[in-house]
Amino acid sequence: MAGRTPEHWMGVALEAAAPHVGRTSPNPPVGCAIVSEDAVIATGAHEKAGAPHAEVDALRKLGMRAEGADLYVTLEPCNHTGKQPPCTDALIAAGLARVFVGSRDPHPLVNGAGIERLRAAGIEVIEGVEETKCTRLIRPFIRAVTRGLPEVTLKLAATLDGRIADTSGEQRWVSGEEARQHGHGLRNASDSILVGVGTVLADNPRLTTRLPDGRKGRDPLRIVVDSRLRTPIDAHLVTAARETPTVLFTCTGNDPARMQALQNHGVELVEVAPNTAGRVDCESMLKELCARGHHTLLCEGGSTLGAHLLRARLVQRVAWYVAPRILGPPHVLAIGEPVGVTGLDQPMSLTHVDVQRLGDDVVILGDVVYGDEEN
């Protein structure tokens, strides 16, 4: 094919998917581009669960016909009926010449079946175009399908010496306005947001999304780890629970009257068996959230909870905001408990690192690699 490369056209499909990242759970974000005579004639995207899939979204703009055209899609087309009919049927009926696929779908109902169906119908299928980028786009979906767990991003805002609060426990305004706006962007793209009860007691957060210029974002489901139900009845997360849902994960055996008081405000309580330390078992909590269709979780919750998640190897990404300030001991450290690292020979590290300047602050974004894993 003369003209631009398949990688270029798959890039167009990736761009079509980008605005919908964080909006499609429990489905993955998918983008599509239909190309004819070296030009894009339609693009499509899967915007939310229950909406048309990316391929059908693009084909509808062409009256469901695209004779002789090439279709580029970031994820293998489905070959089963769910909330939408099989995309393979629509692609075959459209008269396409070729289909370029970025990544195979790991879901057992698909996983190669869509590609086989297209080839059986005489459509040439080319796999693996921009596979790394397309696979990265659906990482939370892959983790949910293969592990039954959401992708967890640990967000921390700290001084140069790693402090998140002074001795009074005050945690607000460690970072500047641009960094805080960036953090709200992370909330906007997350299915749920997690804090520990210590953060609720110290900071009384709202955990809502407030985008620049007054733009309305999406409020993620608010999750509190509160093993002994210490969350105050007048906390913002409780009093606004009917407008912005809040779920408290707690251990069994709490005071029934206390439980009822929280439920009367609209708070959902989920009881789980405690771990060996008598706390909520975070892996059990994450599996419950994943089963509810939550594939992305942003943890903003304190030095203890963050350390626990790292120690249990439940964090996949880090967003670490660094403010040009120094507090020094005895002020609160961002990671306040051991995380299972025994020495410099096997530290936790970050890969695919992205460093951004946000006003006077810096944010370091990266994927967590645990000490005995390969980069």
Side-chain angles (χ1 to χ4, degrees):
M1 180 180 68
R4 294 179 175 174
T5 66
E7 289 74 20
H8 170 80
W9 300 124
M10 190 62 76
V12 175
L14 284 163
E15 289 177 3
H20 309 290
V21 170
R23 291 291 190 274
T24 60
S25 293
N27 298 337
V30 181
C32 174
I34 302 177
V35 178
S36 180
E37 297 182 353
D38 205 34
V40 174
I41 57 175
T43 61
H46 181 52
E47 297 184 2
K48 61 181 180 179
H53 291 180
E55 305 94 308
V56 173
D57 184 40
L59 284 170
R60 283 181 176 177
K61 298 168 185 175
L62 301 173
M64 300 302 290
R65 299 296 301 173
E67 287 85 355
D70 293 335
L71 182 142
Y72 293 79
V73 63
T74 58
L75 185 67
E76 175 185 5
C78 66
N79 191 45
H80 66 283
T81 299
K83 292 183 178 179
Q84 297 290 329
C87 289
T88 51
D89 289 353
L91 300 187
I92 293 167
L96 293 163
R98 298 183 294 183
V99 172
F100 293 78
V101 175
S103 176
R104 283 203 175 199
D105 191 327
H107 198 287
L109 289 175
V110 189
N111 200 7
I115 291 170
E116 291 176 7
R117 174 79 175 91
L118 294 175
R119 285 174 173 161
I123 296 177
E124 182 181 358
V125 179
I126 297 91
E127 295 186 65
V129 181
E130 292 287 22
E131 184 173 10
T132 298
K133 293 179 180 178
C134 292
T135 299
R136 190 168 182 81
L137 177 68
I138 61 166
R139 281 197 347 169
F141 177 72
I142 294 173
R143 184 168 174 81
V145 169
T146 61
R147 298 283 305 278
L149 292 166
E151 182 173 80
V152 176
T153 298
L154 177 60
K155 173 182 173 288
L156 294 164
T159 60
L160 283 173
D161 56 336
R163 311 287 168 168
I164 61 171
D166 60 26
T167 52
S168 71
E170 177 60 50
Q171 298 185 43
R172 297 186 182 184
W173 319 129
V174 170
S175 55
E177 178 62 27
E178 289 185 37
R180 294 196 294 275
Q181 289 180 2
H182 186 277
H184 280 283
L186 295 182
R187 291 182 181 182
N188 188 46
S190 299
D191 295 326
S192 50
I193 183 169
L194 173 69
V195 296
V197 66
T199 296
V200 176
L201 294 171
D203 201 28
N204 194 19
R206 298 180 186 275
L207 302 182
T208 52
T209 298
R210 300 178 294 281
L211 298 178
D213 305 320
R215 288 183 289 120
K216 175 63 177 173
R218 181 187 63 169
D219 291 332
L221 180 68
R222 304 181 299 181
I223 311 295
V224 181
V225 179
D226 187 358
S227 299
R228 292 294 164 229
L229 289 190
R230 293 187 291 146
T231 298
I233 296 298
D234 60 353
H236 292 314
L237 297 179
V238 176
T239 58
R242 296 195 186 281
E243 292 75 36
T244 307
T246 298
V247 179
L248 264 61
F249 279 83
T250 189
C251 294
T252 54
N254 285 305
D255 176 23
R258 178 74 173 169
M259 296 175 65
Q260 188 62 56
L262 290 164
Q263 290 171 326
N264 287 344
H265 282 79
V267 174
E268 181 184 356
L269 299 180
V270 179
E271 293 182 290
V272 297
N275 58 20
T276 55
R279 299 175 179 172
V280 167
D281 182 77
C282 285
E283 184 168 355
S284 297
M285 173 187 67
L286 294 180
K287 286 183 176 179
E288 171 65 21
L289 289 173
C290 187
R292 295 181 180 207
H294 291 257
H295 291 180
T296 54
L297 181 141
L298 179 66
C299 177
E300 294 193 10
S303 60
T304 300
L305 181 58
H308 177 78
L309 291 170
L310 287 169
R311 187 166 60 250
R313 300 189 169 200
L314 293 171
V315 175
Q316 288 68 58
R317 286 185 54 76
V318 165
W320 192 299
Y321 299 83
V322 182
R325 304 179 185 181
I326 295 174
L327 283 177
H331 304 299
V332 181
L333 282 168
I335 304 297
E337 291 186 356
V339 294
V341 174
T342 57
L344 288 174
D345 57 333
Q346 287 193 337
M348 292 181 190
S349 56
L350 298 184
T351 187
H352 298 105
V353 175
D354 179 27
V355 180
Q356 300 176 26
R357 177 79 177 266
L358 301 169
D360 291 333
D361 303 320
V362 170
V363 62
I364 302 168
L365 303 158
D367 301 338
V368 179
V369 177
Y370 294 95
D372 54 359
E373 295 178 345
E374 295 184 1
N375 289 333

